Amino acid sequence: MKKVNLQTSYIGLVDCNNFFVSCERLFRPDLSHKPVLVLSANDGCVISRSKEVKDLGIPMGVPHFEIRDRIKADGITVFSSNFALYRDISKRVMQTVRSIASDSEVYSIDEAFFHVPQNDAEAVARTIKQRIEQWVGIPVSIGVGETKTIAKHMGTSAKKHTGVAIISPEARNTLYDVSLREIWGVGRKTYEKLERCGVRTVGDVLRTGAVYMRTHLGILGEQLYFELAGITTRTKKIRTHHQSIMSSASFGKKVKGAITIEDALSYHVAQVAEKARQDERVARDVSFSIRYEDADGATRIYTERVPLVPPSANTAYLTKAVLKAARPFFRSSFSYKKVGVVLSNVVTQEVVTGSLFFDTESVCSSDELMKVFDAINMKHGRGSVRMATVQKTHAWKGRSGFVSDAYTTSWTGLPLVAIE
Amino acid sequence: MSSLKPRRRSTPRRVPQKSLKKPAIPLYVSAVAAGFPLPGDDAVEQTLSIDQYLVQNPVATFFVRASGHSMEGVHITTGDILVVDRSVSPKSGAIVVAAVFGELVVKRLMKKGSKTLLVSEHADYEPITVEDGSDCVIWGVVTGVVRKLP
């Protein structure tokens, strides 16, 4: 990894504009400048909107059924999520960023942080933006500042202007008046706490100082102060530690029966485990959550975290761990609404291979099997090979009626291009 | 897949139970050659990959499928997979994928003076001028054609 001089280096954040919509538009030039939205798994609610849809006043997260009439009236093109496509495009975006900023850190499917020399920030940011748009065809905005929080904030103003915004004395002045509600990492609870102390804006935080923030909000408050003051607390690597991978979906309808719920859990375990293996990572914990109605019809959530010793990304091992923990909870009187699986404390494999003296029998012995597993699924489509608990007929699996082709990940899904 | 076979216990079992649990650590990764080295042994890594041959910049390369009339001049026919590189700058005479009035089409790019034209092999289609603000943009440059024979 390249060494960076922190004194003269800024942090940049690349953020793909309306990422899922932009992916859908890549092979559909007919949809540029038209209203397009993408629904969550299960076609539940809106998770990505084109500018045109935002201008129509359709909010993020609104349930699909609530806007059916508007979709028709306003001629909005609707897509179900096509994560095979989004992941592939995301990978390309991230690799393009890395081709210029070698130390970049993937933050989410559509965001990445990178280091940039202070005196060259504008030029580098423009180059990254231009290259992603040319090579991958996804529009992006880039915010640059002393810290991640400031970079994120500059990103929002970049979206409103030319797509690149760099911290400057003027930008810093306007930052003072920005409400903490708009600052990344300040949740509702934190904001309420701060407000009670009379701290509402970025300027308020900077005036009260690190000590005050620490006494009232603990280490996180102090960190917020440093982030906003432009002082990097975590040095060298921009990599964050708490990485997690999630897969969840609501059932199309309420479902009963332990078999169905086991099937759903196994499915989500397979999803997250495959994702982790793709990134050559393993998890230290796996947790699952089940939203259900109890015998009295009250909606409840059951969650449990299962530590993985040793850390693993093995589907068989994870499925076993999750089902073992979940089984005692099942009741025939329950009906289930939603399940999710989260891998947390996801670390690179090297971190783990350092400790050879786990009882590796249960895990490593089938790493080869997992490789074969992934290879077959890649060749013949996801789900061709499954753990025996993952059923082929997903009684519980929701609808997804508007899904686009696997344009970049399947030979049968290639975009058609007319020869003229 | 040897890893799936049941483990065979080493006999006699005089070692304490606990040490049996130790993972097997391989003593060597590759075999040590004791004889005369095979000439050209260092070249075995080189295998030919059609991917490598066709794709210069994987990040910017997409595959699309051609459909419609044949472009005989450039040997493209319906069903062919076209290798499209978005990072290549289109030169005059290049075969390109372009977004023309909302549709992805394959055309030949011609530069005449300051004008950029998309030309069809077919007489039925008029050349289209690519300019700022028009509904025509170059999507990528076709750098290869892949076809399986039946």
Side-chain angles (χ1 to χ4, degrees), chain A residues 92 134 415 417-420, chain B residues 61 65 67 69 86 106-107 120:
Chain A
R92 291 166 186 260
Q134 167 82 56
V417 170
I419 330 173
E420 287 186 2
Chain B
T61 301
R65 200 177 288 278
S67 97
H69 315 287
R86 289 180 55 97
V106 186
K107 298 253 187 195
S120 179

Side-chain angles (χ1 to χ4, degrees), chain A residues 62 67 74 248 259 265 274 328 361 379 390 413:
Chain A
V62 67
I67 52 164
D74 294 316
S248 77
I259 297 292
L265 280 171
E274 187 192 321
E361 188 184 0
K379 192 166 170 196
V390 183

Side-chain angles (χ1 to χ4, degrees), chain A residues 278-347:
Chain A
Q278 268 173 15
D279 298 348
E280 290 175 358
R281 278 160 188 274
V282 288
R284 294 191 195 275
D285 295 287
V286 59
S287 11
F288 60 91
S289 68
I290 301 169
R291 191 186 299 167
Y292 64 102
E293 260 174 33
D294 64 15
D296 303 325
T299 300
R300 299 183 185 282
I301 295 177
Y302 178 81
T303 60
E304 192 167 330
R305 171 179 285 226
V306 187
L308 299 166
V309 186
S312 172
N314 184 301
T315 305
Y317 177 61
L318 291 176
T319 310
K320 214 164 112 185
V322 166
L323 292 184
K324 194 179 159 199
R327 267 175 191 141
F329 149 80
F330 301 144
R331 300 280 180 284
S332 58
S333 55
F334 293 169
S335 54
Y336 306 101
K337 294 172 129 178
K338 182 175 182 168
V339 293
V341 173
V342 182
L343 291 185
S344 44
N345 283 318
V346 180
V347 293

Side-chain angles (χ1 to χ4, degrees), chain A residues 37-275:
Chain A
L37 61 80
V38 176
L39 298 171
S40 61
N42 199 29
D43 290 350
C45 54
V46 176
I47 53 166
S48 183
R49 304 165 296 160
S50 71
K51 186 184 169 294
E52 297 74 17
V53 170
K54 289 177 190 170
D55 291 346
L56 285 167
I58 292 175
M60 195 74 160
V62 67
H64 179 212
F65 66 84
E66 272 182 29
I67 52 164
R68 281 233 168 91
D69 295 341
R70 300 209 54 188
I71 287 169
K72 227 180 199 172
D74 294 316
I76 301 170
T77 307
V78 176
F79 289 98
S80 308
S81 330
N82 181 350
F83 276 96
L85 174 67
Y86 309 153
R87 275 191 208 129
D88 177 73
I89 302 296
S90 169
K91 219 188 293 168
R92 291 166 186 260
V93 170
M94 300 310 167
Q95 278 165 2
T96 309
V97 176
R98 213 168 303 136
S99 74
I100 295 168
S102 59
D103 69 333
S104 63
E105 173 213 340
V106 176
Y107 180 70
S108 70
I109 194 164
D110 60 352
E111 293 166 294
F113 287 105
F114 61 93
H115 276 124
V116 61
Q118 227 176 77
N119 49 15
D120 207 18
E122 172 96 31
V124 173
R126 292 258 169 230
T127 312
I128 292 178
K129 178 175 157 65
Q130 200 270 337
R131 188 177 284 185
I132 294 170
E133 292 176 355
Q134 167 82 56
W135 285 16
V136 194
I138 298 294
V140 299
S141 342
I142 298 181
V144 178
E146 295 93 336
T147 60
K148 282 183 172 181
T149 309
I150 296 175
K152 181 95 181 170
H153 180 77
M154 295 312 293
T156 27
S157 68
K159 279 216 165 92
K160 286 173 205 148
H161 300 103
T162 58
V164 172
I166 317 262
I167 189 76
S168 61
E170 302 85 66
R172 185 150 274 292
N173 274 337
T174 48
L175 185 63
Y176 267 65
D177 300 325
V178 171
S179 162
L180 288 172
R181 250 182 300 213
E182 288 166 42
I183 293 298
W184 183 51
V186 180
R188 194 175 50 86
K189 283 222 172 107
T190 314
Y191 180 77
E192 282 168 6
K193 218 169 175 182
L194 283 162
E195 202 184 23
R196 262 179 264 136
C197 312
V199 179
R200 291 185 186 85
T201 64
V202 173
D204 292 343
V205 171
L206 297 179
R207 272 187 291 274
T208 56
V211 178
Y212 182 92
M213 290 293 286
R214 185 172 185 136
T215 19
H216 284 79
L217 283 155
I219 189 87
L220 286 175
E222 189 187 53
Q223 224 168 45
L224 179 66
Y225 169 82
F226 283 126
E227 280 283 316
L228 291 173
I231 302 162
T232 329
T233 44
R234 273 201 210 100
T235 46
K236 284 177 209 146
K237 274 211 235 163
I238 10 181
R239 207 162 282 282
T240 41
H241 298 296
H242 21 69
Q243 298 238 7
S244 57
I245 302 169
M246 191 189 79
S247 172
S248 77
S250 13
F251 297 127
K253 48 189 190 288
K254 277 185 267 178
V255 298
K256 284 196 165 261
I259 297 292
T260 322
I261 191 100
E262 280 187 18
D263 177 18
L265 280 171
S266 309
Y267 170 82
H268 292 298
V269 168
Q271 294 284 311
V272 292
E274 187 192 321
K275 182 77 202 7

